[in-house]
Amino acid sequence: MGKPAEYYQRDRRLHPPAHAPHYKTSVTRSPQKALISLENSISEITGPRFGHNDIGANDNDLLFNFATPGESPIGERIIMHGRVLDENARPVPNALVEIWQANAGGRYRHKKDTYLAPMDPNFGGCGRTITDENGYYFFRTVKPGAYPWRNWVNDWRPAHIHFSIFGTAWAQRLITQCYFEGDPLIPKCPIVQSIPDPEAIEQLTAALDLNATIPLDSIAYKFDVVLRGRRSTLFENRMEGN
Amino acid sequence: MAQKLDYLRETASQTAGPYVHIGLAPGAAGFEIFDNELGQDIAGPNAKGERIRVEGIVRDGTGSPVKDVLIEIWQANADGIYAHPESAGEVEEGFRGFGRVIPAFETGIWAFDTIKPGAVDGAPHLNLWVVARGINVGLNTRLYFSDEDNSADPVLNLIEWENRRATLIAQRGDDATYRFDITLQGDNETVFFDV
């Protein structure tokens, strides 16, 4: 079997470092030894594939997927949409996109979350979808609220939605967080600011997208996700690959 | 200035945070919202090969259990074939090779059931991906088996420090159960890969 075409090396200077001391939990959960670099083998080139049979038809509608019939959650109704692309700007179809978030008051439906803001009986806070042939996805949800966390005494997370994305390869696996344009908490947050590259932070910030807004119904934000790109197959008679 | 290359840049990673379970393993965390939870049955009912259980604990740099971790598993079938079009061959109906596991909230101990994979480009192994609060970029590692000949595996042999290779070997106990503890930091720190 020939050597599979590899994915582009991940730029570790763009991503947050493992040890980011202002994000206190990272201090004891960060490896101290250098990562061992592996060329991609079939174990990393492959990855789980998901289809529409794996998920429910309404799993991407958080206004609906936990609400009592006829009711809906309280909060700013939004459409969160965008595309999953690779570094070659090609769409990634059939990518599984999973999200989770707090409700409009910043409270998660999780037994470990004891924040005094109340739970919303009509809001679960998780959803999932699969990108179409153009790499496009969308969710309907409410805009999450900021919430406090025990890091420094008065730290507040900016409003955010957690995103988990599977491309076509294990090497592309990514979990990140999407922030909202104009949120003044973004520059204050030790988790966001663990990212050393300001442009990379901008890339995590969803833009208000009035063109995708449904008048008198829901406002829209656009969030594109970029996964690692891949080299062309290395042909024997064309060693340069591309 | 040279011309600009027209590549996009990968989206930066962020920690999965403390509530990753409600998004990725809601049922396992006691939150019934989806009909079908992904990653619950790695091998399926038709899989060939030996049925095994893997269990362990993830510890931080103080030796404390990481109780809010989530681990994903990616593996080949007993013939060393992945359920993916680029892997040469077919897998049994229902074999996914993908799993997700979270620990018991009280103890931090996790376990999953699967089949032992066949050899793939070297010794049999499971690919693991570890995320949690405090982990800024998901950690890739591999699990090898103590009852296999791992001496010629190209990835293990890439690790210059021979004593660190042992951190990737799951120890077989009774009843086809393997123990695999992961240490995020410090003495016996598990080897993590940049893949």
Side-chain angles (χ1 to χ4, degrees), chain A residues 10 12 15-17 23 26-33 36 38 42-44 46-47 49 54 87 98 108-109 126 128 168 173 175-177 179 197 203 226 228 230, chain B residues 7-16 19 22 31 34 36 60-61 68 72 74 82 84 86 96 100 105 120 125 133-134 136 142 164 184-186 189 192-195:
Chain A
R10 181 166 263 166
R12 294 272 170 182
H15 292 280
Y23 174 27
S26 78
V27 172
T28 56
R29 293 185 172 191
S30 44
Q32 290 168 328
K33 297 176 180 67
I36 306 288
L38 287 192
I42 196 74
S43 293
E44 292 80 32
T46 57
R49 308 300 294 136
D54 291 320
E87 290 170 289
E98 298 164 283
Y108 283 89
R109 185 170 289 280
C126 58
R128 54 194 187 175
T168 51
R173 187 79 181 88
I175 283 182
T176 188
Q177 300 182 30
Y179 304 100
D197 182 330
Q203 203 174 320
V226 180
R228 291 167 71 183
R230 190 176 186 183
Chain B
Y7 294 106
L8 301 179
R9 301 176 78 211
E10 190 189 11
T11 298
S13 172
Q14 292 272 263
T15 177
Y19 308 123
I22 69 154
F31 172 34
F34 298 137
N36 174 27
D60 69 13
D68 50 10
E72 289 185 347
W74 174 237
Y82 286 101
H84 189 278
E86 290 193 59
R96 300 294 295 262
R100 264 180 184 160
F105 284 120
V120 188
H125 63 272
R133 175 172 68 104
N136 287 326
R142 285 185 173 200
R164 297 201 67 206
L184 297 179
Q185 184 188 85
E189 184 176 297
F192 298 106
F193 296 108
D194 184 20
V195 303

Coordinates of all heavy atoms in Angstrom, one line a residue, chain A residues 10 12 15-17 23 26-33 36 38 42-44 46-47 49 54 87 98 108-109 126 128 168 173 175-177 179 197 203 226 228 230, chain B residues 7-16 19 22 31 34 36 60-61 68 72 74 82 84 86 96 100 105 120 125 133-134 136 142 164 184-186 189 192-195:
Chain A
R10 N -0.1 21.1 11.4 CA -0.8 22.0 12.2 C 0.1 23.1 12.7 O 1.2 22.8 13.2 CB -1.5 21.2 13.3 CG -2.3 22.0 14.3 CD -3.1 21.1 15.2 NE -4.5 21.0 14.6 CZ -5.4 20.1 15.0 NH1 -5.0 19.2 16.0 NH2 -6.6 20.0 14.5
R12 N 1.2 25.1 15.3 CA 1.0 25.1 16.8 C 1.1 26.5 17.4 O 0.8 26.7 18.5 CB 1.9 24.1 17.5 CG 1.7 22.7 17.1 CD 0.6 22.1 18.0 NE 0.2 20.7 17.6 CZ -0.7 20.0 18.2 NH1 -1.3 20.4 19.3 NH2 -1.1 18.8 17.7
H15 N -2.5 28.0 17.5 CA -3.4 27.5 18.5 C -2.9 27.9 19.9 O -1.7 28.2 20.0 CB -3.4 25.9 18.4 CG -4.0 25.4 17.2 ND1 -5.4 25.3 17.1 CD2 -3.5 25.0 16.0 CE1 -5.7 24.8 15.9 NE2 -4.6 24.6 15.2
P16 N -3.8 27.8 20.9 CA -3.3 28.2 22.2 C -2.3 27.1 22.7 O -2.4 26.0 22.4 CB -4.6 28.1 23.1 CG -5.5 27.4 22.3 CD -5.2 27.5 20.9
P17 N -1.3 27.6 23.5 CA -0.4 26.6 24.1 C -1.1 25.7 25.1 O -2.1 26.2 25.7 CB 0.7 27.5 24.7 CG 0.0 28.7 25.0 CD -1.0 28.9 24.0
Y23 N -5.2 30.9 32.4 CA -6.3 30.0 32.4 C -5.9 28.9 33.4 O -5.2 27.9 33.0 CB -6.6 29.4 31.0 CG -7.6 28.3 30.9 CD1 -8.6 28.2 31.9 CD2 -7.6 27.4 29.9 CE1 -9.6 27.2 31.8 CE2 -8.5 26.4 29.8 CZ -9.5 26.3 30.7 OH -10.4 25.3 30.7
S26 N -5.4 25.0 33.1 CA -4.4 24.4 32.2 C -3.1 24.1 32.9 O -2.3 23.4 32.3 CB -4.2 25.4 31.0 OG -3.4 26.5 31.3
V27 N -2.9 24.7 34.0 CA -1.5 24.6 34.7 C -1.2 23.2 35.0 O -0.1 22.7 34.8 CB -1.5 25.6 35.9 CG1 -0.2 25.3 36.7 CG2 -1.5 27.0 35.5
T28 N -2.2 22.5 35.5 CA -1.9 21.0 35.9 C -2.4 20.0 34.9 O -2.3 18.9 35.1 CB -2.6 20.7 37.3 OG1 -4.0 21.0 37.2 CG2 -2.0 21.5 38.4
R29 N -3.0 20.6 33.8 CA -3.5 19.6 32.8 C -2.8 19.8 31.5 O -3.3 19.3 30.4 CB -5.0 19.9 32.6 CG -5.8 19.5 33.8 CD -7.3 19.6 33.6 NE -8.1 19.1 34.8 CZ -9.4 18.8 34.8 NH1 -10.1 19.1 33.7 NH2 -10.0 18.3 35.8
S30 N -1.6 20.3 31.5 CA -0.8 20.5 30.3 C 0.4 19.6 30.3 O 1.2 19.7 31.3 CB -0.4 22.0 30.2 OG 0.1 22.5 31.4
P31 N 0.6 18.9 29.3 CA 1.9 18.1 29.2 C 3.1 19.0 29.3 O 3.1 20.1 28.7 CB 1.8 17.4 27.9 CG 0.4 17.4 27.5 CD -0.2 18.6 28.1
Q32 N 4.1 18.5 30.0 CA 5.4 19.3 30.0 C 6.4 18.9 29.0 O 7.3 19.6 28.7 CB 6.0 19.1 31.4 CG 5.2 19.8 32.5 CD 5.6 19.4 33.9 OE1 6.1 18.3 34.1 NE2 5.5 20.3 34.9
K33 N 6.2 17.7 28.5 CA 7.1 17.2 27.5 C 6.6 17.5 26.1 O 5.4 17.7 25.9 CB 7.3 15.7 27.7 CG 8.0 15.4 29.0 CD 8.1 13.9 29.3 CE 8.7 13.8 30.7 NZ 7.8 14.2 31.8
I36 N 5.3 14.4 20.4 CA 6.0 13.6 19.4 C 5.4 13.8 18.0 O 4.2 13.5 17.9 CB 6.1 12.1 19.7 CG1 6.6 11.9 21.2 CG2 6.9 11.4 18.7 CD1 8.0 12.2 21.4
L38 N 4.3 13.0 14.4 CA 4.1 11.8 13.6 C 3.7 12.2 12.1 O 2.8 13.0 11.9 CB 2.9 11.0 14.1 CG 2.9 10.2 15.3 CD1 1.7 9.3 15.4 CD2 4.2 9.4 15.4
I42 N -2.3 5.7 7.9 CA -3.7 5.4 7.6 C -4.5 5.7 8.9 O -5.7 6.0 8.8 CB -3.9 4.0 7.1 CG1 -5.2 3.8 6.5 CG2 -3.6 2.9 8.1 CD1 -5.4 4.4 5.1
S43 N -3.9 5.5 10.1 CA -4.7 5.8 11.3 C -5.1 7.2 11.5 O -6.1 7.5 12.1 CB -3.8 5.4 12.5 OG -3.6 4.0 12.6
E44 N -4.4 8.1 10.9 CA -4.7 9.6 11.0 C -5.4 10.1 9.8 O -6.1 11.1 9.9 CB -3.4 10.4 11.3 CG -2.8 10.2 12.6 CD -1.9 8.9 12.6 OE1 -1.3 8.6 11.6 OE2 -1.8 8.3 13.7
T46 N -7.6 8.4 8.1 CA -9.0 8.0 8.1 C -9.7 8.6 9.4 O -9.0 9.3 10.2 CB -9.1 6.5 8.2 OG1 -8.4 6.1 9.4 CG2 -8.5 5.8 7.0
G47 N -11.0 8.5 9.5 CA -11.7 9.0 10.6 C -13.1 8.6 10.5 O -13.6 8.1 9.5
R49 N -17.0 8.4 9.9 CA -18.0 9.0 9.0 C -19.4 9.0 9.6 O -19.7 8.0 10.2 CB -17.9 8.3 7.6 CG -16.5 8.1 7.0 CD -15.8 9.4 6.8 NE -16.5 10.2 5.7 CZ -16.7 11.5 5.8 NH1 -16.3 12.1 6.9 NH2 -17.2 12.1 4.9
D54 N -27.6 8.9 11.5 CA -27.1 8.9 12.8 C -27.7 10.0 13.7 O -27.6 9.9 14.9 CB -25.6 9.3 12.8 CG -24.8 8.1 12.2 OD1 -25.1 7.0 12.5 OD2 -23.8 8.4 11.4
E87 N -8.1 24.1 4.5 CA -7.2 25.2 4.2 C -7.0 25.5 2.8 O -6.4 26.6 2.4 CB -5.8 24.9 4.9 CG -5.9 24.9 6.4 CD -4.6 24.4 7.0 OE1 -4.4 23.1 7.0 OE2 -3.8 25.2 7.6
E98 N -21.3 19.5 15.9 CA -22.0 19.4 17.1 C -21.8 20.7 17.9 O -20.7 21.2 18.0 CB -21.6 18.2 17.9 CG -21.8 16.8 17.2 CD -21.0 15.7 17.8 OE1 -19.8 15.6 17.6 OE2 -21.7 14.9 18.6
Y108 N -25.9 26.5 32.1 CA -25.9 25.3 31.4 C -26.8 24.3 32.0 O -27.0 24.2 33.3 CB -24.5 24.7 31.4 CG -23.5 25.3 30.4 CD1 -22.8 26.4 30.8 CD2 -23.4 24.9 29.1 CE1 -21.9 27.0 30.0 CE2 -22.5 25.4 28.3 CZ -21.7 26.5 28.7 OH -20.8 27.1 27.8
R109 N -27.4 23.4 31.2 CA -28.2 22.3 31.7 C -27.2 21.1 32.1 O -27.1 20.2 31.4 CB -29.2 21.8 30.7 CG -30.2 20.8 31.2 CD -31.3 20.6 30.2 NE -32.3 21.7 30.2 CZ -33.2 21.9 31.1 NH1 -33.4 21.0 32.0 NH2 -34.0 22.9 31.0
C126 N -28.1 21.7 23.3 CA -27.1 21.0 22.5 C -27.8 20.7 21.1 O -29.0 20.6 21.1 CB -26.5 19.8 23.1 SG -27.7 18.6 23.6
R128 N -26.9 19.2 16.8 CA -25.9 18.6 15.8 C -26.5 18.6 14.4 O -27.7 18.6 14.3 CB -25.5 17.2 16.3 CG -26.6 16.3 16.5 CD -26.2 15.1 17.3 NE -27.4 14.2 17.3 CZ -27.3 12.9 17.8 NH1 -26.2 12.5 18.4 NH2 -28.4 12.1 17.8
T168 N -13.0 14.7 7.5 CA -12.9 13.3 6.9 C -11.8 12.5 7.6 O -11.7 11.3 7.4 CB -12.7 13.3 5.4 OG1 -11.6 14.2 5.1 CG2 -13.9 13.9 4.7
R173 N -9.6 16.5 13.5 CA -10.5 16.6 14.6 C -10.3 18.0 15.3 O -9.1 18.3 15.6 CB -10.3 15.5 15.6 CG -11.3 15.4 16.7 CD -12.6 14.8 16.3 NE -13.5 14.7 17.4 CZ -14.4 15.7 17.7 NH1 -14.4 16.8 17.0 NH2 -15.2 15.6 18.7
I175 N -12.1 20.8 18.3 CA -13.1 21.4 19.2 C -12.7 22.9 19.4 O -11.5 23.2 19.6 CB -13.3 20.7 20.5 CG1 -14.0 19.3 20.3 CG2 -13.9 21.5 21.6 CD1 -14.3 18.5 21.5
T176 N -13.7 23.8 19.3 CA -13.4 25.2 19.5 C -14.6 25.9 20.1 O -15.5 25.3 20.5 CB -12.9 25.8 18.1 OG1 -12.4 27.1 18.4 CG2 -14.0 25.9 17.1
Q177 N -14.5 27.2 20.2 CA -15.6 28.0 20.7 C -15.9 29.2 19.7 O -14.9 29.8 19.2 CB -15.4 28.5 22.1 CG -15.1 27.4 23.1 CD -14.9 27.9 24.5 OE1 -15.4 28.9 24.9 NE2 -14.1 27.1 25.3
Y179 N -17.4 32.9 19.3 CA -17.8 34.1 20.0 C -18.6 35.0 19.1 O -18.8 34.8 17.9 CB -16.5 34.8 20.5 CG -15.7 33.9 21.4 CD1 -14.6 33.2 20.9 CD2 -16.1 33.6 22.7 CE1 -13.8 32.3 21.6 CE2 -15.4 32.6 23.4 CZ -14.2 32.0 22.9 OH -13.6 31.1 23.6
D197 N -2.4 34.5 18.6 CA -2.5 35.2 17.3 C -3.8 36.0 17.2 O -4.9 35.4 17.2 CB -2.4 34.1 16.2 CG -2.4 34.7 14.9 OD1 -3.0 35.8 14.6 OD2 -1.8 34.1 14.0
Q203 N -10.9 35.1 13.9 CA -11.5 34.0 13.1 C -12.5 33.2 14.0 O -13.3 32.4 13.4 CB -10.4 33.1 12.6 CG -10.7 32.3 11.4 CD -9.5 31.5 10.8 OE1 -8.4 32.1 10.8 NE2 -9.7 30.3 10.5
V226 N -12.5 26.4 9.6 CA -11.5 25.9 8.7 C -10.8 24.7 9.3 O -10.2 24.8 10.4 CB -10.5 27.0 8.3 CG1 -9.5 26.4 7.3 CG2 -11.2 28.2 7.7
R228 N -7.9 21.4 8.7 CA -6.7 21.2 8.0 C -6.8 20.8 6.6 O -7.7 20.0 6.3 CB -5.8 20.2 8.7 CG -5.3 20.7 10.1 CD -4.8 19.6 10.9 NE -3.5 19.1 10.4 CZ -2.9 18.1 11.0 NH1 -3.4 17.4 12.0 NH2 -1.7 17.7 10.5
R230 N -5.1 19.3 2.8 CA -4.4 18.1 2.5 C -3.6 18.2 1.3 O -4.0 18.9 0.3 CB -5.4 17.0 2.3 CG -4.8 15.6 2.2 CD -5.8 14.6 2.1 NE -5.2 13.2 2.2 CZ -5.9 12.1 2.1 NH1 -7.2 12.1 1.9 NH2 -5.3 11.0 2.2
Chain B
Y7 N -4.0 30.3 0.9 CA -4.5 29.3 1.8 C -5.4 29.9 2.9 O -5.1 31.1 3.3 CB -3.4 28.5 2.5 CG -2.6 27.7 1.6 CD1 -1.3 28.1 1.3 CD2 -3.0 26.5 1.1 CE1 -0.5 27.3 0.4 CE2 -2.2 25.7 0.2 CZ -1.0 26.1 -0.1 OH -0.2 25.4 -0.9
L8 N -6.4 29.2 3.4 CA -7.0 29.7 4.6 C -6.2 29.2 5.8 O -5.3 28.3 5.6 CB -8.4 29.1 4.7 CG -9.4 29.5 3.5 CD1 -10.7 28.8 3.7 CD2 -9.5 31.0 3.4
R9 N -6.5 29.7 7.0 CA -5.8 29.2 8.2 C -6.7 28.4 9.0 O -7.9 28.7 9.1 CB -5.3 30.4 9.0 CG -4.3 31.3 8.2 CD -3.9 32.5 8.9 NE -2.9 32.2 9.9 CZ -2.8 32.8 11.1 NH1 -3.6 33.7 11.4 NH2 -1.8 32.5 11.9
E10 N -6.2 27.3 9.6 CA -7.0 26.5 10.4 C -7.7 27.3 11.5 O -7.0 28.2 12.1 CB -6.2 25.3 11.0 CG -7.1 24.3 11.7 CD -6.2 23.2 12.5 OE1 -5.0 23.4 12.7 OE2 -6.9 22.2 12.9
T11 N -8.9 27.0 11.9 CA -9.6 27.6 13.0 C -8.9 27.2 14.3 O -8.5 26.0 14.4 CB -11.1 27.1 13.1 OG1 -11.7 27.5 11.9 CG2 -11.8 27.7 14.3
A12 N -8.6 28.1 15.2 CA -7.9 27.8 16.4 C -8.8 27.0 17.3 O -10.0 27.1 17.4 CB -7.5 29.1 17.1
S13 N -8.1 26.1 18.0 CA -8.7 25.3 19.0 C -9.1 26.1 20.3 O -8.4 27.0 20.6 CB -7.8 24.1 19.4 OG -8.3 23.4 20.5
Q14 N -10.1 25.6 21.0 CA -10.3 26.1 22.4 C -10.7 24.9 23.2 O -11.2 23.9 22.7 CB -11.5 27.1 22.4 CG -11.2 28.4 21.7 CD -10.6 29.4 22.7 OE1 -11.2 30.3 23.2 NE2 -9.2 29.3 22.9
T15 N -10.5 25.0 24.5 CA -10.9 23.9 25.4 C -12.3 23.5 25.3 O -13.2 24.3 24.9 CB -10.6 24.3 26.9 OG1 -11.0 23.3 27.7 CG2 -11.4 25.6 27.3
A16 N -12.6 22.2 25.5 CA -14.0 21.7 25.5 C -14.7 22.2 26.7 O -16.0 22.2 26.7 CB -14.0 20.2 25.4
Y19 N -18.4 21.5 30.5 CA -19.7 20.9 30.2 C -19.8 20.2 28.9 O -20.8 20.1 28.3 CB -20.8 22.1 30.3 CG -20.7 22.9 31.6 CD1 -20.5 24.2 31.6 CD2 -20.8 22.2 32.8 CE1 -20.4 24.9 32.7 CE2 -20.7 22.9 34.0 CZ -20.5 24.3 33.9 OH -20.4 25.0 35.1
I22 N -22.7 17.6 28.0 CA -24.0 17.9 27.5 C -24.0 18.0 26.0 O -25.1 17.8 25.4 CB -24.6 19.2 28.2 CG1 -24.0 20.4 27.7 CG2 -24.7 19.1 29.7 CD1 -24.9 21.6 27.8
F31 N -28.6 13.1 30.5 CA -29.5 14.1 29.9 C -30.0 13.5 28.6 O -29.3 13.4 27.6 CB -28.6 15.4 29.7 CG -29.2 16.5 28.8 CD1 -30.6 16.7 28.9 CD2 -28.4 17.3 28.0 CE1 -31.1 17.8 28.2 CE2 -29.0 18.3 27.3 CZ -30.3 18.5 27.3
F34 N -31.2 13.3 22.7 CA -31.2 12.7 21.3 C -31.6 11.3 21.4 O -31.4 10.5 22.3 CB -29.7 12.8 20.8 CG -29.2 14.2 20.7 CD1 -27.9 14.4 21.1 CD2 -29.9 15.2 20.1 CE1 -27.3 15.7 20.9 CE2 -29.4 16.5 20.0 CZ -28.1 16.7 20.4
N36 N -30.4 9.0 19.4 CA -29.2 8.1 19.1 C -27.9 8.8 19.5 O -27.6 9.9 19.0 CB -29.2 7.8 17.6 CG -27.9 7.1 17.2 OD1 -27.3 6.3 18.0 ND2 -27.5 7.3 16.0
D60 N -4.2 14.4 36.4 CA -3.5 15.6 36.1 C -2.1 15.7 36.8 O -1.6 14.7 37.4 CB -4.4 16.8 36.6 CG -4.5 17.0 38.1 OD1 -3.8 16.3 38.8 OD2 -5.4 17.8 38.5
G61 N -1.5 16.8 36.8 CA -0.1 16.9 37.2 C 0.0 16.8 38.8 O 1.2 16.7 39.3
D68 N -13.8 15.3 34.6 CA -14.6 15.9 33.5 C -14.0 15.7 32.1 O -14.2 16.5 31.2 CB -14.8 17.4 33.8 CG -13.6 18.1 34.1 OD1 -12.5 17.6 33.9 OD2 -13.7 19.3 34.6
E72 N -12.2 10.2 23.0 CA -12.7 9.5 21.8 C -11.8 8.5 21.3 O -10.5 8.6 21.5 CB -12.9 10.6 20.7 CG -14.1 11.5 21.0 CD -14.5 12.5 19.9 OE1 -13.7 12.7 19.0 OE2 -15.6 13.1 20.0
W74 N -10.7 5.8 18.0 CA -10.8 5.5 16.6 C -9.9 4.3 16.4 O -8.7 4.3 16.7 CB -10.3 6.7 15.8 CG -10.2 6.5 14.3 CD1 -9.1 6.6 13.5 CD2 -11.3 6.1 13.4 NE1 -9.5 6.3 12.2 CE2 -10.8 6.0 12.1 CE3 -12.7 5.7 13.6 CZ2 -11.5 5.6 11.0 CZ3 -13.4 5.3 12.5 CH2 -12.9 5.3 11.2
Y82 N -10.0 0.1 8.7 CA -10.8 1.2 9.2 C -12.1 1.3 8.4 O -12.1 1.1 7.2 CB -10.1 2.5 9.2 CG -9.0 2.6 10.2 CD1 -7.6 2.5 9.8 CD2 -9.2 3.0 11.5 CE1 -6.6 2.6 10.8 CE2 -8.2 3.1 12.5 CZ -6.9 2.9 12.1 OH -5.9 3.0 13.0
H84 N -13.6 3.4 6.6 CA -13.4 4.6 5.9 C -12.9 4.2 4.5 O -12.2 3.3 4.3 CB -12.2 5.4 6.6 CG -12.0 6.8 6.1 ND1 -11.3 7.0 5.0 CD2 -12.4 8.0 6.6 CE1 -11.2 8.3 4.8 NE2 -11.9 8.9 5.7
E86 N -10.8 5.2 2.5 CA -9.4 5.2 2.1 C -8.6 4.0 2.8 O -7.4 3.8 2.6 CB -8.7 6.5 2.5 CG -9.1 7.6 1.6 CD -8.2 8.8 1.8 OE1 -7.0 8.7 1.6 OE2 -8.8 9.9 2.2
R96 N -18.2 0.5 13.4 CA -17.9 1.9 13.2 C -16.5 2.2 13.6 O -15.9 3.1 13.0 CB -18.8 2.8 14.1 CG -20.3 2.6 13.9 CD -20.8 3.1 12.6 NE -20.6 4.5 12.3 CZ -21.5 5.5 12.5 NH1 -22.7 5.1 12.8 NH2 -21.3 6.7 12.2
R100 N -16.9 7.0 22.1 CA -16.8 8.2 23.1 C -17.1 7.6 24.5 O -18.0 6.9 24.7 CB -17.8 9.2 22.8 CG -17.4 10.3 21.9 CD -18.5 11.3 21.6 NE -18.0 12.3 20.7 CZ -18.8 13.1 20.0 NH1 -20.1 12.9 20.1 NH2 -18.3 13.9 19.2
F105 N -18.6 10.3 37.4 CA -18.3 11.6 38.0 C -17.6 11.6 39.3 O -16.8 12.4 39.7 CB -19.6 12.4 38.1 CG -20.1 13.0 36.8 CD1 -21.4 12.6 36.3 CD2 -19.3 13.9 36.1 CE1 -21.8 13.1 35.1 CE2 -19.8 14.4 34.9 CZ -21.1 14.0 34.4
V120 N -2.1 -2.6 12.0 CA -2.3 -1.5 11.0 C -0.9 -0.8 10.9 O -0.5 -0.1 11.8 CB -3.3 -0.5 11.4 CG1 -3.5 0.5 10.3 CG2 -4.6 -1.1 11.9
H125 N -3.3 -1.1 17.6 CA -3.4 0.0 18.5 C -4.8 0.7 18.4 O -5.5 0.5 17.4 CB -2.3 1.1 18.2 CG -2.4 1.7 16.9 ND1 -1.8 1.2 15.8 CD2 -3.1 2.8 16.4 CE1 -2.0 1.9 14.7 NE2 -2.8 2.9 15.1
R133 N -11.8 20.4 30.2 CA -11.5 21.7 30.8 C -10.0 21.7 31.1 O -9.4 20.8 31.6 CB -12.3 21.8 32.1 CG -12.0 23.0 32.9 CD -13.1 23.0 34.1 NE -12.8 22.0 35.0 CZ -12.3 22.1 36.2 NH1 -11.9 23.3 36.6 NH2 -12.1 21.1 37.0
G134 N -9.4 22.8 30.7 CA -7.9 23.0 31.0 C -7.0 22.4 29.9 O -5.8 22.6 29.9
N136 N -6.2 22.8 26.1 CA -6.5 23.8 25.1 C -6.6 23.3 23.7 O -7.4 23.8 22.9 CB -5.5 25.0 25.2 CG -5.7 25.8 26.4 OD1 -6.8 26.1 26.9 ND2 -4.6 26.3 27.0
R142 N -1.9 7.1 21.6 CA -2.2 5.7 21.1 C -2.2 4.7 22.3 O -1.3 4.9 23.2 CB -1.2 5.3 20.1 CG -1.4 6.0 18.7 CD -0.4 5.4 17.7 NE -0.7 5.9 16.4 CZ -0.2 5.3 15.3 NH1 0.5 4.1 15.3 NH2 -0.5 5.8 14.1
R164 N 9.7 6.0 28.0 CA 8.4 6.7 27.8 C 7.5 5.8 26.9 O 6.3 6.0 27.0 CB 8.6 8.0 27.1 CG 9.4 9.0 27.9 CD 9.1 10.4 27.5 NE 7.8 10.8 27.8 CZ 7.1 11.8 27.1 NH1 7.6 12.4 26.1 NH2 5.8 12.0 27.5
L184 N -1.5 13.3 32.4 CA -1.4 14.5 31.6 C -0.1 15.2 31.8 O 0.4 15.9 30.9 CB -2.5 15.5 31.9 CG -4.0 15.0 31.5 CD1 -5.0 16.0 31.9 CD2 -4.1 14.6 30.1
Q185 N 0.5 15.1 33.0 CA 1.7 15.9 33.3 C 2.5 15.3 34.4 O 2.0 14.7 35.3 CB 1.1 17.3 33.8 CG 2.2 18.3 34.1 CD 1.6 19.5 34.7 OE1 1.4 19.6 35.9 NE2 1.2 20.5 33.9
G186 N 3.8 15.5 34.3 CA 4.7 15.1 35.4 C 5.4 13.7 35.2 O 5.6 13.3 34.1
E189 N 4.5 10.9 32.5 CA 3.6 11.6 31.6 C 3.4 10.8 30.3 O 4.4 10.3 29.7 CB 4.2 13.0 31.2 CG 3.3 13.9 30.4 CD 4.0 15.3 30.2 OE1 4.2 16.0 31.2 OE2 4.3 15.6 29.0
F192 N 2.1 12.1 24.1 CA 1.1 12.7 23.2 C 1.8 13.1 21.9 O 2.9 13.4 21.8 CB 0.4 13.9 23.9 CG -0.3 13.5 25.1 CD1 0.3 13.9 26.4 CD2 -1.4 12.8 25.1 CE1 -0.4 13.6 27.6 CE2 -2.1 12.5 26.3 CZ -1.6 12.9 27.5
F193 N 0.9 13.0 20.9 CA 1.5 13.1 19.5 C 0.9 14.4 18.8 O -0.2 14.8 19.0 CB 1.1 11.9 18.6 CG 1.7 10.6 19.1 CD1 0.9 9.7 19.7 CD2 3.0 10.4 18.9 CE1 1.4 8.5 20.1 CE2 3.6 9.2 19.3 CZ 2.8 8.2 19.9
D194 N 1.8 15.0 18.0 CA 1.3 16.0 17.0 C 1.1 15.2 15.7 O 2.2 14.8 15.1 CB 2.4 17.1 16.9 CG 1.9 18.2 16.0 OD1 0.7 18.3 15.8 OD2 2.8 19.0 15.5
V195 N -0.1 14.9 15.3 CA -0.3 14.0 14.2 C -0.4 14.8 12.9 O -0.7 16.0 12.9 CB -1.5 13.1 14.4 CG1 -1.4 12.3 15.6 CG2 -2.8 14.0 14.4

